[in-house]
């Protein structure tokens, strides 16, 4: 199919050649990105344009899909033989992609400057075993956002430091009649729910796996789900959270309908944009809370990387593009949307200006990033846990039973 | 010219088509059957022969029975509603009134919308915070509080069925309307003269003309409904707590999310088998109806 199109394209080029400017030996690479959060589609196009200016011989075709379709589209294209050259991948996929030979091991291409300059935590995004499968690009974790005005109205002086405090504060806001359901989460049957759950698992000191076997059904993993169910049943959590994705949480928060919300970096500047948001100027951000005696703060590693697929016929050009996209210069220019992966960027006033609060939260949050389990069976664990969370929230089974079933269905 | 020559020539003329059919339908089917007996992954390994393991594991697994029930429920309820609504709409649009042409054109609109657009539209309508449905029902005093339509197992399936019906009943209406135009006016006039009631006119005059085409609509819609995927994937992704997960979503998860191409193929074949059986049963019924109508 590809070859057929290639040939058609070639003959078309040959036929029209006399009428156009002399063609360079142009290489085309296809890149797959995400159509939401962090960098927007327009930003990725602008970055790519800057790349083609300095590399006119490489043409980059961009394609965007929602996060929910990114994994499957990558794998499907690879399986169908028309793979992308460059793909954006989530921190949870390197294990599976490495096991199934989807991504190129780029360890030899990572320079010493890169190794020294990029934040150590960011590398965990693209690493499986001792190999690197790409460059980290979006460095991200979930933060606790709060509405300063609502907290003041409720007489709460400081944002909560522990999850218990958060629930207590939310109850005060509810009891005072300021908001009926103060906390918004993204608990839809999707990966988003696992990110919120993981944040809580890290706070409660839980483990996903121990010696390769599920361990989330007891200890911190169980406490995390119990916390979710408790805040849901007591009514301090917005009950619609169970059909929310991150964008729904953002809309509710920006509408002033949530006092607290757990979300990614990108919400900070969007919620502070008066064009978009009713709560601009009132947005506070802190690291997600901890649990007394167990943790100071909590965070999920929600970073994403750019990699080259094994089926790519232009791996060198693809890598060149990735190096540009992840360069400090590019990342600093777009730091309002996603914090840079480069350590020294955080000392640059051009990066920190206007988002000092976010950077302060990031220093704690990024250092506490907790990984979701690195296993080729990740998708199965995730789907099983999504079901467990929803069953427990809906009261179809107890947190204990739900997680036990998830462990049985996890494929491990 | 001898009969055999005509037959041979007919075959020769059909040959190019047959080759194309074998290539685009036959080969993938054979390949899928082969795949279903292996433990192949979507990318990476091509897999080794495992016999009926995939089938046994899937059918005995706890997800299959529940998903089959969900799918059947969705298909039966949505198709029944679509048939009823479609016939009703066709009967109305078959009357003489001003603006009939405009209304007929408007009615096609939902059916012409891409499913994903339709699903996104309904997601907005059902939005638990800002959705039009909640706003309308609270303003009418039917509801006191906004509800999470897609977030509760009790309402999620119904909400999906409504969205599916809205999109697909126009197809049934269109087919029924075309059939209604074929009812001879003198027969209807005669039934008036005979003093038949409205119901009797419908039952004994109109219905026999409608039955054949409606059977076709029924077959088309049932098969489509049984294979439903996109509308559900966009609106609930099978949630909450898997209460709207249909067979096609299970196939998708197995083959693409979990990358188990082998067992995904066997599940897809099970679905194909069920749909084929349905098609045959219906096909026989169509013949009977068509025979009795003639």
């Amino acid at each position: 199919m590809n070859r057929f199109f290639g040939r058609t394209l070639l003959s078309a080029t040959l036929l029209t050649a006399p009428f156009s400017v002399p063609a360079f030996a142009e290489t085309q690479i296809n890149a797959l990105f995400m159509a939401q959060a962090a960098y927007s589609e327009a930003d990725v196009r602008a970055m790519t344009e800057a790349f083609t200016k300095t590399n006119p011989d490489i043409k980059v075709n961009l394609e965007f899909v929602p996060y929910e379709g990114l994994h499957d589209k990558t794998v499907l294209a690879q399986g169908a033989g028309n793979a992308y050259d460059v793909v954006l991948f989530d921190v949870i996929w390197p294990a599976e992609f490495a096991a199934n030979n989807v991504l190129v091991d780029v360890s030899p291409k990572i320079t010493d400057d890169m190794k020294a300059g990029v934040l150590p935590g960011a590398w965990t995004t693209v690493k499986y075993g001792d190999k690197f499968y790409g460059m980290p690009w979006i460095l991200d974790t979930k933060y606790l956002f709060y509405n300063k005005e609502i907290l003041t109205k409720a007489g709460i002086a400081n944002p909560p430091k522990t999850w218990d405090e958060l629930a207590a504060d939310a109850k005060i806001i509810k009891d005072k009649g300021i908001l009926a359901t103060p906390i918004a989460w993204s608990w839809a049957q999707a990966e988003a729910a696992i990110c919120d759950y993981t944040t809580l698992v890290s706070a409660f000191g839980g483990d996903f796996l121990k010696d390769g076997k599920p361990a989330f059904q007891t200890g911190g993993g169980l406490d995390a789900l119990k916390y979710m169910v408790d805040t849901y049943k007591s009514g301090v959590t917005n009950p619609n959270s169970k059909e929310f994705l991150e964008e729904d949480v953002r809309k509710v928060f920006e509408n002033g309908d949530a006092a607290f919300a757990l979300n990614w970096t990108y919400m900070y500047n969007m919620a502070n944009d008066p064009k978009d948001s009713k709560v601009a100027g009132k947005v506070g951000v802190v690291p997600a809370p901890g649990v007394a005696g167990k943790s100071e703060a909590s965070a999920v590693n929600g970073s994403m990387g750019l990699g080259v697929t094994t089926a790519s016929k232009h791996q060198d050009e693809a890598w060149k593009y990735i190096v540009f996209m992840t360069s400090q210069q590019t990342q600093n220019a777009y730091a309002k949307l996603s914090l840079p992966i480069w350590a020294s960027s955080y000392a640059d006033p051009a990066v920190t200006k206007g988002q000092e609060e976010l950077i302060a939260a990031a220093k704690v949050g990024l250092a506490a990033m907790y990984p979701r389990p690195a296993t080729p069976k990740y998708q199965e664990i995730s789907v099983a846990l999504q079901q467990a969370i929803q069953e427990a929230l809906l009261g179809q089974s107890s947190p204990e039973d739900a997680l036990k079933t998830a462990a049985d269905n996890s494929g491990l | 010219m001898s009969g055999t020559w005509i037959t041979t020539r007919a075959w020769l003329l059909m040959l190019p088509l047959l080759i194309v059919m074998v290539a685009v339908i036959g080969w993938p089917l054979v390949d899928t059957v082969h795949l279903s007996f292996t433990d192949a992954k979507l990318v990476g390994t091509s897999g080794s022969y495992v016999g009926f393991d995939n089938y046994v594991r899937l059918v005995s697994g706890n997800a299959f029975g529940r998903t089959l029930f969900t799918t059947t429920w969705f298909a039966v309820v949505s198709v029944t509603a679509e048939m009823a609504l479609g016939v009703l709409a066709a009967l109305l649009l078959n009357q003489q009134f001003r603006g009939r042409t405009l209304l007929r054109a408007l009615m096609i609109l939902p059916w012409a919308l891409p499913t994903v657009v339709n699903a996104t539209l309904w997601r907005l309508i059902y939005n638990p915070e800002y959705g039009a449905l909640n706003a309308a029902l609270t303003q009418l005093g039917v509801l006191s509080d906004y509800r999470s339509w897609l977030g509760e197992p009790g309402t999620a399936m119904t909400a999906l069925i409504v969205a599916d019906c809205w999109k697909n009943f126009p197809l049934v209406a269109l087919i029924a309307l075309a059939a209604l135009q074929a009812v001879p006016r003198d027969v209807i006039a005669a039934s008036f003269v005979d003093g038949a009631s409205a119901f009797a006119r419908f039952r004994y005059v109109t219905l026999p003309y409608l039955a054949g085409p409606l059977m076709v609509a029924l077959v088309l819609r049932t098969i489509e409904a049984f294979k439903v995927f996109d509308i559900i994937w966009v609106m609930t992704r099978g949630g909450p707590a898997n209460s709207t997960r249909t067979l096609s979503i299970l196939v998708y998860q197995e083959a693409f999310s979990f990358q188990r191409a082998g067992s995904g193929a066997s599940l897809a074949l099970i679905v194909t088998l069920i749909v084929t059986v349905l098609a045959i049963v219906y096909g026989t019924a169509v013949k009977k109806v068509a025979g009795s109508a003639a």
Side-chain angles (χ1 to χ4, degrees):
Chain A
M1 196 76 143
N2 247 348
R3 222 175 291 158
F4 171 74
F5 278 126
R7 221 176 282 163
T8 319
L9 209 66
L10 185 69
S11 22
T13 319
L14 286 176
L15 279 174
T16 52
F19 310 107
S20 57
V21 282
F24 293 103
E26 192 181 70
T27 309
Q28 297 218 13
I29 57 171
N30 299 313
L32 183 66
F33 285 95
M34 181 171 78
Q36 63 192 43
Y39 306 120
S40 75
E41 190 171 328
D43 298 317
V44 176
R45 287 196 190 282
M47 291 175 201
T48 307
E49 221 164 90
F51 170 76
T52 11
K53 256 188 200 144
T54 44
N55 297 278
D57 54 330
I58 304 174
K59 188 174 180 298
V60 188
N61 299 319
L62 299 173
E63 203 177 319
F64 296 84
V65 291
Y67 171 81
E68 285 72 34
L70 195 58
H71 169 274
D72 300 344
K73 182 109 179 160
T74 304
V75 178
L76 257 172
Q78 185 97 350
N82 52 350
Y84 297 93
D85 299 282
V86 173
V87 288
L88 176 64
F89 61 88
D90 199 358
V91 59
I92 45 188
W93 304 332
E96 179 200 331
F97 284 180
N100 295 316
N101 196 29
V102 174
L103 289 176
V104 174
D105 168 14
V106 291
S107 313
K109 298 189 180 200
I110 308 261
T111 63
D112 289 341
D113 283 351
M114 289 173 174
K115 271 184 194 150
V118 171
L119 290 165
W123 287 118
T124 56
T125 313
V126 295
K127 227 172 146 183
Y128 179 59
D130 52 359
K131 289 178 177 155
F132 295 85
Y133 289 92
M135 276 293 282
W137 188 48
I138 297 172
L139 184 62
D140 216 344
T141 186
K142 284 203 168 181
Y143 300 94
L144 179 70
F145 293 88
Y146 62 97
N147 186 318
K148 289 178 179 171
E149 191 181 50
I150 295 177
L151 259 59
T152 316
K153 230 189 248 176
I156 299 164
N158 293 306
K161 289 227 185 293
T162 66
W163 287 104
D164 282 343
E165 263 177 61
L166 174 74
D169 287 351
K171 189 157 185 324
I172 295 172
I173 295 166
K174 186 181 169 72
D175 290 347
K176 288 195 171 167
I178 302 170
L179 277 181
T181 54
I183 319 173
W185 314 76
S186 41
W187 289 348
Q189 187 162 329
E191 189 59 34
I194 307 300
C195 294
D196 284 6
Y197 174 69
T198 306
T199 308
L200 286 163
V201 172
S202 83
F204 284 97
D207 287 301
F208 277 103
L209 302 176
K210 257 185 200 153
D211 307 319
K213 290 278 160 212
F216 49 74
Q217 66 276 37
T218 54
L222 179 60
D223 293 341
L225 184 57
K226 278 186 174 162
Y227 181 85
M228 292 165 87
V229 174
D230 285 348
T231 66
Y232 180 82
K233 283 200 176 138
S234 66
V236 290
T237 280
N238 185 329
N240 298 329
S241 295
K242 66 187 184 300
E243 61 171 288
F244 283 168
L245 293 173
E246 289 93 337
E247 279 293 86
D248 303 303
V249 170
R250 178 171 73 84
K251 279 170 199 148
V252 170
F253 186 79
E254 287 182 355
N255 213 32
D257 295 334
F260 300 105
L262 208 62
N263 214 338
W264 307 105
T265 312
Y266 83 102
M267 184 162 99
Y268 185 69
N269 281 293
M270 288 182 106
N272 267 322
D273 180 354
K275 264 190 294 180
D276 213 36
S277 159
K278 288 186 192 165
V279 299
K282 302 166 193 162
V283 182
V285 62
V286 284
V291 168
K294 284 187 176 155
S295 57
E296 296 288 315
S298 55
V300 52
N301 186 352
S303 308
M304 297 182 88
L306 288 172
V308 181
T309 65
T310 50
S312 167
K313 293 191 182 71
H314 307 289
Q315 297 189 355
D316 291 337
E317 288 86 353
W319 180 248
K320 210 169 169 184
Y321 176 62
I322 291 177
V323 170
F324 178 87
M325 295 295 275
T326 56
S327 68
Q328 189 158 14
Q329 194 194 355
T330 308
Q331 291 232 308
N332 285 0
Y334 293 88
K336 290 275 182 291
L337 302 156
S338 173
L339 293 174
I341 56 169
W342 302 88
S344 62
S345 292
Y346 294 83
D348 183 349
V351 168
T352 53
K353 195 170 173 294
Q355 46 183 7
E356 290 81 3
E357 216 179 320
L358 176 68
I359 305 267
K363 279 190 179 143
V364 182
L366 295 179
M369 285 201 300
Y370 192 79
R372 283 162 280 167
T375 151
K377 295 252 179 170
Y378 180 75
Q379 292 296 323
E380 277 163 78
I381 296 184
S382 171
V383 166
L385 276 172
Q386 287 167 29
Q387 188 184 346
I389 290 170
Q390 292 230 314
E391 281 179 355
L393 289 175
L394 290 164
Q396 291 180 349
S397 62
S398 66
E400 287 86 353
D401 291 345
L403 287 177
K404 201 182 158 298
T405 312
D408 293 342
N409 291 341
S410 66
L412 287 172
Chain B
M1 233 182 283
S2 74
T4 39
W5 167 233
I6 291 175
T7 318
T8 318
R9 202 171 58 165
W11 277 108
L12 274 174
L13 285 170
M14 282 202 303
L15 197 62
L17 178 70
L18 284 177
I19 292 171
V20 171
M21 296 264 287
V22 168
V24 299
I25 300 174
W27 171 244
L29 194 65
V30 172
D31 196 39
T32 307
V33 174
H34 164 77
L35 202 60
S36 75
F37 292 112
T38 69
D39 59 359
K41 304 279 277 182
L42 194 61
V43 287
T45 61
S46 59
S48 49
Y49 182 76
V50 294
F52 281 91
D53 279 10
N54 290 333
Y55 290 93
V56 173
R57 188 174 55 81
L58 285 166
V59 175
S60 62
N62 48 16
F64 183 78
R66 187 183 167 196
T67 315
L68 181 66
F69 176 78
T70 308
T71 315
T72 312
W73 178 255
F74 176 86
V76 169
V77 179
S78 66
V79 172
T80 310
E82 282 159 22
M83 296 300 288
L85 276 174
V87 172
L88 207 64
L91 287 171
L92 286 174
L93 288 173
N94 198 37
Q95 307 296 316
Q96 290 288 350
F97 60 91
R98 273 172 68 90
R100 182 173 76 154
T101 322
L102 179 74
L103 211 59
R104 281 186 184 178
L106 278 181
M107 202 196 54
I108 307 300
L109 215 64
W111 186 60
L113 275 183
T115 312
V116 176
V117 177
N118 179 47
T120 313
L121 194 82
W122 280 94
R123 243 192 89 142
L124 288 173
I125 294 173
Y126 291 135
N127 187 298
E129 298 279 333
Y130 321 110
L133 183 66
N134 277 317
L137 291 180
T138 41
Q139 275 164 28
L140 289 171
V142 180
L143 281 184
S144 55
D145 285 310
Y146 277 25
R147 285 186 61 176
S148 163
W149 303 99
L150 296 172
E152 297 288 343
T155 53
M157 190 43 123
T158 314
L160 284 172
I161 289 173
V162 169
D164 188 65
C165 274
W166 185 79
K167 179 172 164 47
N168 288 312
F169 92 85
L171 174 72
V172 181
L174 200 68
I175 293 173
L177 193 59
L180 283 176
Q181 319 261 299
V183 183
R185 285 174 194 281
D186 51 347
V187 179
I188 297 179
S191 69
F192 271 106
V193 173
D194 290 345
S197 68
F199 176 77
R201 277 205 307 280
F202 175 73
R203 170 67 187 84
Y204 296 104
V205 181
T206 317
L207 196 60
Y209 285 93
L210 270 179
L214 276 186
M215 216 50 209
V216 175
L218 184 68
V219 175
L220 282 175
R221 283 304 311 141
T222 310
I223 292 173
E224 285 286 311
F226 217 85
K227 296 190 301 186
V228 65
F229 175 80
D230 31 14
I231 195 168
I232 296 182
W233 191 248
V234 174
M235 288 176 71
T236 63
R237 294 170 54 83
N242 286 341
S243 60
T244 60
R245 186 168 67 170
T246 58
L247 283 170
S248 292
I249 289 178
L250 204 60
V251 174
Y252 180 87
Q253 283 183 333
E254 196 68 24
F256 304 127
S257 297
F258 305 159
Q259 294 211 39
R260 290 196 287 253
S263 70
S266 35
L267 197 54
L269 282 172
I270 295 174
V271 179
T272 312
L273 192 73
I274 297 172
V275 172
T276 312
V277 169
L278 276 176
I280 292 171
V281 171
Y282 275 164
T284 325
V286 170
K287 266 187 207 149
K288 251 188 213 159
V289 171
S292 69

